[in-house]
Amino acid sequence: MSYLELSNVKKSFGTTIAVDDFNLSIAQGEFVSFLGPSGCGKTTTLRMVAGFELPTSGQISLQDKNLTYLPPNKRNVGMVFQSYALFPNMTVADNIGYGLKVTGKPKKETNARIKEMLGLIHMEEQHNKFPSQLSGGQQQRVALARALAIRPQVLLLDEPLSALDAKIRLELRLEIRRIQQQLGITTIYVTHDQEEALSLSDRIVVMSKGKMEQVGTPAQIYTSPETEFVANFVGQINLLPVKVVSPTQGKVKVGEQILQAGKFGHLNGNPIRLAVRPEELNHGFIEGANNLSGKVEAISYLGSIVRIRLDVEGNPISMDVFNERKLTIPSVGDDYQVTFPVEACWII
Amino acid sequence: MKTKRINFWAFFWVVLAFLYFFLPMYGTLDFSLRMKKGVLSLLAYQKVLADPQFLASFRYSAIMGVITVIFSILLFVPTVYWIHLKMRQLRPLVEIITILPFIIPVIVYVFGLIRTFSGPPFQLTLTPFKTDILMVAGYIVLAMPYMFRAIDVGMQTIDVRTLTEAAQSLGANWAQILFNVIFPNLRTAILSGALISFALVIGELILGDFLARPALGPYMVEVGRDMAYQPAALAIMSYALTWICLGLITLFSRSNNNQRQILGR
Amino acid sequence: MPSNNSQPIPVKQFQPKSQFTNWIGILPFFVFIFVFLIFPSLNLFSGAFKDQQGNFTLANMKFLSNPYVLKSYATSLQVSIITSLVGGIFGFFVAYAIVMGNTPRWMRSILTTFSGLAANFGGVPLAFAFIATLGRTGFITAILKNICYANAAGVQVCPFNPYDNGFNLYSLTGLVLTYIYFQFPLMILTITPALEGLKKEWREASENLGASSFQYWTRVALPILLPSILGSTMLLFGSAFGAFATAQALTGGSIDLVTILIGQQIRGDVLNNPNEGYALALGMVVVMAFMIVGYTILQKRTTRWLKL
């Protein structure tokens, strides 16, 4: 069931193509993230949904109503900006009530809605304050309430957390998810932070250079990236250059060490690489799994995780292990055996 | 990036502003070239430049301008320096004082100046030299808002304290600090303040007029009363002079173009 | 920078022995300001309350209610208010067009540069420029004069000759036109930074919430700009109210502005009681003071959200 539909959307600024061939249908109540590096077209796409940019071609429809060329103030989609964009001359309550006031809603309804929204973001006490008196996190909560106050059909969030401190960011992330689920509102969330996208979304659209790279659930995106870009952009990954040994069986080799790919297409093109996430690697040797031996090159503590970098036949490979008490950490220069399951690796 | 159409109203206002700027300028230029009937000529300019009175009054005003600039620098640079270094709590007060010449109309101020110093016990208007002292003092006050602000902004961009400490640790006394360290580092700021002050003195009418000194302002009024084409030529020359002063400021302050200055009138 | 970092610098010979030594550094400035600014001003204002023998009197204040004087104040106020409003509004629109109207870049840079020039271009030469342009034989006057045609009766009519249609440069209208030449560039210079401070996101957020462009302006943009607009208008008012040279050179003193009257008083050719002249001058400062107080009150109200 498609609620919000973007079909063949294209946007170019002069000769630069910002977004191309964008097709996506979003179900009601779904939380979709657009994930990608800056300049990948994710914000432009969002702004086309909001109406701040007009697509060069293609169509955007909401509940089968064509939105494509509707002015932004007739769309009823709520937007939250990276820079909060609260009106500095209005109190928190006035900011939240703005959308209702300008569309001529009765005062009683407006006030009730303001109260409801203040409750939703737990800021009843601050209703009379001006934005300049609030912290960044509070300001962004108000901005969220302001966008939600008009009961939008879609909520758009444009990197809402990137201007905030790490700790507040985490806190507000949870709050956004809570509010989204509480209201069941269809949401598009633009971010360059994979952790945000993975933790919040029902589905993620990974974008690069104006194109959709992959659409899928967080698990799909993480465990089976379809392109090298996605594999690299989301999470850490080892990409091991390999030579094909048996195209039909998916057997490859690095140096003289034979490996079995879990997933492989037609193995004719060279060069090909075997992808495996660092956390899939373990110390040891398991019969029937993939095994590699190499030399320890570097060890870095990342708090809960220790990352061991190995040199395997001249290629760097990282392995992440939990920093448990029982962990024995090798020394640099040691010979080291690692193993990983066949299902955990694939050919890119 | 964006290829939006030019907003019609924006275009309308901009064109109107262009006309308001350039029509009088063009009109004046055109008028100034028509002294000789039927042909365009520089006759009006030649007449102005050949007028010994013009040369004398221009020289007088230019000298006054230079003296004013020198004394302004000597008075304000150490003051602003000291305030930045030791008396930051005085800055708001000094700031208010320095904008007083904007609040008190120039003619009122000059009125007070004349009435105070023309009589006993000062009697500064008895000889031309004494009157010139009063003129310079008046010019310094009138130029103060610009001079002070220019130096103040300049001082904010350099680290006065560190520079002072560095100079001291190398054994400089404080006259040396001022002249060898602070002044050179404030070059740009002082220069823009100086140019704007100079332009102000050159164009100033009230002081010269009421203290009956042969400045350029009163001369121009006189020419305006008696002649037809020379005033237009004088106006074009003033445009050019203001233009040069502002141009030099932009040139010297390169990146620092938020320092827009406004002359009084 | 906060003001509390004024600890003495840690080098011995520079260490002030007391707060008093600190004052010596700025003494020349305060002496100069006192002698050449504060003292003459106070002298003038106290003179307004003295008779010619130096005794206290309020009689000079009565002089201010003289219809002739009152009319000069009215004229000055009229010119200042009209030129600062017209020039201010015009300048605002131009600045807006420069900042947000997608006008070509070269136009913008020329306009800002010329604003600097025109705002600085006042006094006598400005009057000359307008005389050469709109005076009886001025450039534009000549063009308009020559737009003529023969009417039905065969008589030549020149409907656009400004001087046949009640226009006169050497009048109040002419003065207003001339003052606007420096007023609107002054507005452009002072309001542009404020306009540049308007965030694009505010407009977008407003639109996004269903507001029209008009609602955005009345509820968001103008309230945010109001403090700057007030400040600029104040500056414009002051610059017109205190202007003397342009009016003197343009009209030869035939329009009775307060500044012109004070000028005549200094020359001593109208009033014979100098103390009445002081009252006249004091009146101007009182008007400015009123404007500043009013401005401060409005400023406080409109920037409630800024100060917190």
Side-chain angles (χ1 to χ4, degrees), chain A residues 127-138:
Chain A
H127 69 100
N128 224 357
K129 287 194 174 167
F130 286 99
S132 56
Q133 295 168 285
L134 302 176
S135 70
Q138 287 174 319

Side-chain angles (χ1 to χ4, degrees), chain A residues 5-10 17-26 32-37 40-42 45 203-216 221 226-227 229-230:
Chain A
E5 178 101 37
L6 290 92
S7 31
N8 298 315
V9 172
K10 178 181 174 177
I17 294 169
V19 179
D20 199 10
D21 196 23
F22 196 97
N23 287 285
L24 182 68
S25 62
I26 298 174
V32 175
S33 290
F34 294 174
L35 175 66
C40 72
K42 56 190 193 303
T45 311
R203 266 198 305 161
I204 297 174
V205 179
V206 185
M207 294 179 72
S208 155
K209 293 177 186 156
K211 292 227 165 37
M212 303 168 85
E213 290 278 336
Q214 188 175 355
V215 184
I221 298 283
E226 282 164 10
T227 66
F229 175 83
V230 178

Side-chain angles (χ1 to χ4, degrees), chain B residues 107 110-111 114-115 205-213 217-219 221-222 225, chain C residues 124 244-245 247-249 252-254 259-274 277-278 280:
Chain B
I107 189 117
V110 171
F111 190 19
I114 291 173
R115 284 295 141 95
L205 168 70
I206 300 176
L207 267 168
D209 197 5
F210 292 111
L211 284 170
R213 296 297 294 143
Y219 168 78
V221 172
E222 199 181 306
R225 254 196 306 264
Chain C
V124 184
F244 169 81
Q248 174 73 29
S254 66
T259 47
I260 299 281
L261 233 58
I262 294 177
Q264 290 166 348
Q265 164 66 23
I266 301 177
R267 286 209 182 80
D269 49 4
V270 167
L271 315 154
N272 14 25
N273 181 352
Y278 300 158
L280 206 56

